[in-house]
């Protein structure tokens, strides 16, 4: 430790962009630049090296010292753990309660470290480089929604500020493709520029995410100032949703695709039309945007209203929701597990008028019968638990969240591997985020939930759930 006594500020260029290195260190250390962008700081004559280093796009007026940084960190963690939401399962008779509480606490720690920055995170956060270390925006709901549920919406808003910053870039991208509003990049670095990739142009379920998250912020702070702050994100996103949905004159309905990729990314983009979840999410995004217009004293937008009125119905086959309308033979498969994206209509978003609960229930039971409850892994763990809770099946929700199969194992530090990726993901944090979102909803409730304590947990006396600081989900 010790107060930093020496410092340096360097200006460098990288890929045409300027950045600054602001470095402070305690006395007795030696600094040198080996080559451009390669720096060495070495302690000489001491076993301790105390320093702070900041990389920034502009010159810092003053870089905090090590002692100041340590004090700020202590204060920040104290505020994090003493404010916001907490759940206590002590006193529960169910033997799974201790493991679920461990997963919750460790996940809260990991997501504060990795997901609470001013740029929306990559899926492994700051722990590991996967998918080029870039933000994949279809995952943004999982990255951020739990901060709302656990009473820390200000951490969600950090990422929304980045979306505000890149709004002009997304508007230009939409216009270049002859759409209205803003088209958010599927995969991007901190600059917000879309990245090339074989599936990137065809993913669409990222587009309503900012609307859904702005609505969560409004629920936490239902004021006109909130509406004014985020209206551009909501309305520009809605403009894109409405212009992307195309009117099919043969059926007098609005359709999505082709070419598009749905959540599972398994079908050919040129043959994919009307994925169930994307249809529902399109409806929800436009519905929320119209609600924001009403809150601001504005008339409904006529084209959005027309899309809502004539959007394709969710595809059903033999009483079960299909994943994609143009692939009606889903349940005739004889091999392999069923996809689950059609169940995101309750396992990701609140119920909308297009959704029939009993059809969701039949579909959920069919998936569990074919796949097994323990195969809700990766971020589908949270998806499955959210679905079960909203269907009034809390025992299934708990079983999914406490699944101890190898693919669902929470290591001692809380990390969960995703071994099926080509290079592996040793710390796939959307698992932690989806678990927190589900547990928060199960403990705090949701709009339309039974009027009991912790409605997403079994009510047979096996669970004792005490919670404070949580926010109710829509």
């Amino acid at each position: 430790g010790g107060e930093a006594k020496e410092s340096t500020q360097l200006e460098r260029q990288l890929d045409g962009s300027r950045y600054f290195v602001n470095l402070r260190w305690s006395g007795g250390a030696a600094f040198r630049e080996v080559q451009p962008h390669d720096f060495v700081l070495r302690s000489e004559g001491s076993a301790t090296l105390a320093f702070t280093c900041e990389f920034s796009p502009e010159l810092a007026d003053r870089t905090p010292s090590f002692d100041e940084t340590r004090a700020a960190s202590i204060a920040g963690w104290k505020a994090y753990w003493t404010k916001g939401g907490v759940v206590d399962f002590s006193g529960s008779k169910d033997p799974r309660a201790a493991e679920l509480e461990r997963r919750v606490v460790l996940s809260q720690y990991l997501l504060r470290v990795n997901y609470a920055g001013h740029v929306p995170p990559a899926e492994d956060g700051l722990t590991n480089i996967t998918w080029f270390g870039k933000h994949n925006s279809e995952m943004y709901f999982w990255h951020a929604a739990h901060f709302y549920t656990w009473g820390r919406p200000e951490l969600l808003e950090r990422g929304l500020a980045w979306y505000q910053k890149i709004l002009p870039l997304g508007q230009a991208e939409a216009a270049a493709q002859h759409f209205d509003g803003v088209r958010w990049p599927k995969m991007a670095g901190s600059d917000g520029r879309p990245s090339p990739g074989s599936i990137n142009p065809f993913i669409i379920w990222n587009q309503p995410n900012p609307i859904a998250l702005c609505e969560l912020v409004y629920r936490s702070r239902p004021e006109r100032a909130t509406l004014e702050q985020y209206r551009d994100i909501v309305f520009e996103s809605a403009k894109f949703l409405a212009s992307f949905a195309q009117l099919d004159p043969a059926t007098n309905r609005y359709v999505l695709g082709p070419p598009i990729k749905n959540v599972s990314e398994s079908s050919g983009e040129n043959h994919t039309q009307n994925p169930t979840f994307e249809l529902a999410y399109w409806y929800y995004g436009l519905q929320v945007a119209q609600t924001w217009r009403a809150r601001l004293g504005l008339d409904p937008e006529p084209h959005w209203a027309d899309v809502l009125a004539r959007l394709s119905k969710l595809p059903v086959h033999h009483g079960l929701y299909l994943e994609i309308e143009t692939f009606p033979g889903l349940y005739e498969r004889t091999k392999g597990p069923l996809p689950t994206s059609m169940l995101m209509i309750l396992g990701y978003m609140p119920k909308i008028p297009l959704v029939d609960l009993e059809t969701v229930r039949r579909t959920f039971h069919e998936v569990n019968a074919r796949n097994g409850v323990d195969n809700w892994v990766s971020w589908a763990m949270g998806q499955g638990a959210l679905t079960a809770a909203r269907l009034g099946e809390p025992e299934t929700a708990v079983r999914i969240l406490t699944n101890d199969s190898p693919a669902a194992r929470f290591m001692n530090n809380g990390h969960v591997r995703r071994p099926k990726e080509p290079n592996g993901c040793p710390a796939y944090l959307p698992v932690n985020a989806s678990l927190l979102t589900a547990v928060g909803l199960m403990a705090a409730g949701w709009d339309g939930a039974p009027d009991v304590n912790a409605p997403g947990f079994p009510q047979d006396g096996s669970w004792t759930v005490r919670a404070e600081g949580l926010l109710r989900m829509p």
Side-chain angles (χ1 to χ4, degrees):
E3 180 67 26
K5 299 176 181 177
E6 300 185 52
S7 63
T8 187
Q9 292 180 311
L10 304 172
E11 179 181 347
R12 293 293 178 266
Q13 295 279 338
L14 183 63
D15 295 334
S17 298
R18 183 177 67 166
Y19 75 95
F20 291 90
V21 182
N22 307 298
L23 181 69
R24 293 186 71 183
W25 66 91
S26 57
F31 170 81
R32 65 188 177 93
E33 184 175 5
V34 179
Q35 55 186 357
H37 321 298
D38 187 354
F39 314 103
V40 173
L41 182 66
R42 178 174 289 129
S43 176
E44 294 185 349
S46 172
T48 301
L49 177 63
F51 71 95
T52 59
C53 184
E54 177 184 21
F55 297 90
S56 66
E58 59 274 328
L59 189 64
D61 293 334
R62 179 180 180 276
T63 301
S65 69
F66 173 83
D67 287 340
E68 290 169 330
T69 302
R70 179 170 57 182
S73 177
I74 292 170
W77 278 111
K78 182 178 180 179
Y80 182 72
W81 290 118
T82 56
K83 299 177 182 178
V86 64
V87 170
D88 178 10
F89 298 135
S90 62
S92 297
K93 299 174 185 176
D94 193 306
R96 299 168 295 183
E99 172 59 16
L100 184 57
E101 190 166 288
R102 183 183 78 90
R103 294 181 178 192
V104 165
V105 173
L106 290 173
S107 294
Q108 286 186 281
Y109 168 75
L110 290 173
L111 295 174
R112 172 63 178 84
V113 170
N114 290 279
Y115 273 15
H118 292 282
V119 176
E123 287 168 67
D124 275 16
L126 305 171
T127 307
N128 182 55
I129 296 178
T130 50
W131 294 282
F132 308 100
K134 295 187 176 183
H135 171 56
N136 285 263
S137 61
E138 73 272 26
M139 300 303 296
Y140 184 38
F141 178 88
W142 291 133
H143 293 332
H146 61 91
F147 286 130
Y148 160 82
T149 315
W150 289 80
R152 301 181 180 102
E154 69 279 1
L155 299 183
L156 183 164
E157 291 185 83
R158 290 183 178 182
L160 283 177
W162 180 81
Y163 274 78
Q164 288 176 312
K165 178 181 177 181
I166 70 166
L167 180 64
L169 198 65
Q171 290 172 312
E173 184 73 14
Q177 298 175 15
H178 306 287
F179 295 116
D180 299 332
V182 56
R183 184 160 198 174
W184 304 109
K186 189 277 183 199
M187 184 170 77
S190 59
D191 58 7
R193 293 184 300 167
S195 299
S198 60
I199 67 168
N200 292 359
F202 307 114
I203 294 291
I204 63 169
W205 60 290
N206 57 332
Q207 300 304 321
N209 272 338
I211 298 177
L213 292 169
C214 286
E215 177 67 4
L216 293 182
V217 174
Y218 179 79
R219 287 175 67 95
S220 72
R221 199 170 66 249
E223 306 164 358
R224 187 176 181 90
T226 308
L227 299 171
E228 295 290 355
Q229 183 176 358
Y230 294 112
R231 62 183 289 168
D232 287 346
I233 288 181
V234 171
F235 293 160
E236 292 301 304
S237 297
K239 288 178 185 177
F240 175 82
L241 300 185
S243 67
F244 187 87
Q246 299 299 303
L247 183 62
D248 177 12
T251 58
N252 192 34
R253 61 179 186 154
Y254 285 93
V255 299
L256 300 181
I260 55 174
K261 285 277 192 184
N262 85 314
V263 173
S264 62
E265 303 173 7
S266 59
S267 60
E269 60 270 11
N270 291 325
H271 304 284
T272 300
Q273 185 176 80
N274 286 342
T276 293
F277 168 64
E278 282 82 348
L279 280 174
Y281 209 21
W282 239 244
Y283 187 99
Y284 179 66
L286 288 171
Q287 183 185 54
V288 170
Q290 290 283 52
T291 301
W292 276 52
R293 290 184 64 87
R295 290 168 180 163
L296 285 164
L298 303 173
D299 292 333
E301 210 290 329
H303 182 51
W304 301 356
D306 188 47
V307 175
L308 285 168
R310 293 197 281 170
L311 189 65
S312 297
K313 305 304 182 215
L314 305 186
V316 176
H317 185 64
H318 295 321
L320 304 172
Y321 279 118
L322 292 171
E323 184 184 34
I324 302 167
E325 180 187 279
T326 44
F327 294 87
L330 174 66
Y331 298 99
E332 282 68 41
R333 292 179 181 178
T334 58
K335 295 181 180 179
L338 290 170
T340 66
S341 74
M342 58 282 194
L343 290 166
M344 292 169 69
I345 56 179
L346 278 190
Y348 192 93
M349 53 177 283
K351 183 185 178 300
I352 58 171
L354 293 184
V355 171
D356 176 70
L357 285 181
E358 291 311 308
T359 306
V360 178
R361 191 184 310 279
R362 288 191 298 270
T363 307
F364 185 62
H365 290 171
E366 181 68 17
V367 168
N368 285 338
R370 292 272 292 269
N371 296 6
V373 174
D374 289 345
N375 279 314
W376 289 96
V377 297
S378 189
W379 55 261
M381 176 180 285
Q383 175 203 339
L386 287 165
T387 304
R390 284 189 168 121
L391 286 173
E393 301 186 13
E395 170 56 33
T396 303
V398 169
R399 181 176 171 186
I400 290 170
L401 293 179
T402 56
N403 174 8
D404 60 359
S405 66
R409 176 176 172 261
F410 282 62
M411 293 184 283
N412 289 342
N413 63 1
H415 283 147
V416 183
R417 293 188 178 94
R418 188 174 174 177
K420 291 185 178 180
E421 296 303 320
N423 298 316
C425 292
Y428 193 62
L429 293 165
V431 186
N432 306 85
S434 73
L435 177 132
L436 282 187
T437 304
V439 173
L441 174 138
M442 291 162 63
W446 60 96
D447 294 349
D451 187 18
V452 296
N453 179 60
F457 285 89
Q459 301 293 311
D460 59 2
S462 60
W463 284 83
T464 299
V465 181
R466 293 182 294 172
E468 64 179 40
L470 297 173
L471 298 179
R472 190 181 187 90
M473 287 289 281

